[in-house]
Amino acid sequence: SVPTSGCHDKAVLLYEYVGKRIVDLQHTEVPDAYRGRGIAKHLAKAALDFVVEEDLKAHLTCWYIQKYVKENPLPQYLEHLQP
């Protein structure tokens, strides 16, 4: 039997370290059943707060996180973005 749970029922944020101190925030995904509840926003905020706390640089491949930063242009986020 095939397990019914998998990554399809979880909200995920895919990221990858592309350098020693550089993290590429690649993609956020929220299951259809949970969309519209602000979950992606929580994922974006948590990821950016992590980047700030760990003093990393973030490369934003994910369009949603790019949009989140435009809507929340906090200085601590902006100074941790990789140009």
Side-chain angles (χ1 to χ4, degrees), residues 5-26:
S5 70
C7 66
H8 298 299
D9 59 354
K10 294 183 178 75
V12 294
L13 190 153
L14 300 178
Y15 66 93
E16 182 182 2
Y17 281 89
V18 292
K20 197 170 176 177
R21 312 285 305 156
I22 302 166
V23 64
D24 182 12
L25 303 177
Q26 297 173 331

Side-chain angles (χ1 to χ4, degrees), residues 31-75:
D32 289 338
Y34 299 101
R35 293 219 170 119
R37 299 190 193 178
I39 294 172
K41 194 176 284 187
H42 286 295
L43 287 174
K45 181 182 187 309
L48 290 162
D49 288 346
F50 172 79
V51 165
V52 171
E53 284 163 22
E54 298 293 317
D55 198 23
L56 304 171
K57 287 284 185 198
H59 182 73
L60 307 184
T61 299
C62 175
W63 68 267
Y64 183 86
I65 299 179
Q66 293 172 6
K67 176 173 162 288
Y68 180 86
V69 171
K70 278 199 183 93
E71 293 170 357
N72 303 275
L74 302 178

